[in-house]
Amino acid sequence: MALRRIAVLALSAATCALAPALAAPTAGAATPAQQVRQAPIPLSKGGDQLKVTVTGSGGAGLDGTHVLKCHPTGGDHPEAAEACRALDKVTRWGKDPFAPVAPGSACTMQYGGPATAHVTGRWAGRPVDATFKRDNGCEIDRWNKLTPLLPTASS
């Protein structure tokens, strides 16, 4: 009986000693929570649809309102397939590809032209209502990340 107690205690001590090492991630490895945040958002089964209204872009035929449908691709957007691929590429859990520039951001004082865009609809199962402009470096970068959903605007 005493030998059995010693064996149980030894096994319990070994398990307690190994538990932290087994649970700790290796250096540089993503934790399961980080892996979920980095994973692409699953495609919407009902399809995604956005209405894009652009003004002041300076390009012939770029201003106006277009509808973009993805999953499956459709609508009258002039670069529908490319726009859907670009949006899929930047869509991640916990990150809104249509989010405004964060308040207090340090942005360069450059002017990218009078172009504005308004995007509404649904993307990745979430409602979208975003306005874009090109009046400083942060806004220009935000616009460019969504090209070709938004046209390449001339200054």
Side-chain angles (χ1 to χ4, degrees), residues 19-109:
L22 294 175
T26 58
T31 65
Q34 289 169 328
Q35 289 171 350
V36 167
R37 283 193 299 268
Q38 294 170 355
I41 293 177
L43 301 178
S44 170
K45 294 200 187 296
D48 298 304
Q49 181 169 319
L50 299 170
K51 181 171 86 171
V52 182
T53 302
V54 177
T55 60
S57 67
L62 299 178
D63 287 355
T65 300
H66 296 283
V67 173
L68 173 69
K69 295 180 182 181
C70 299
H71 318 117
T73 302
D76 65 353
H77 190 281
E79 298 182 67
E82 295 84 0
C84 289
R85 275 195 296 276
L87 282 168
D88 285 339
K89 189 174 180 180
V90 298
T91 303
R92 299 279 181 255
W93 284 110
K95 183 175 175 172
D96 180 2
F98 302 98
V101 173
S105 295
C107 303
T108 59
M109 293 179 65

Side-chain angles (χ1 to χ4, degrees), residues 99-109 136-142 145:
V101 173
S105 295
C107 303
T108 59
M109 293 179 65
N136 65 48
C138 295
E139 293 289 351
I140 293 168
D141 183 56
R142 180 173 172 245
K145 285 181 180 175

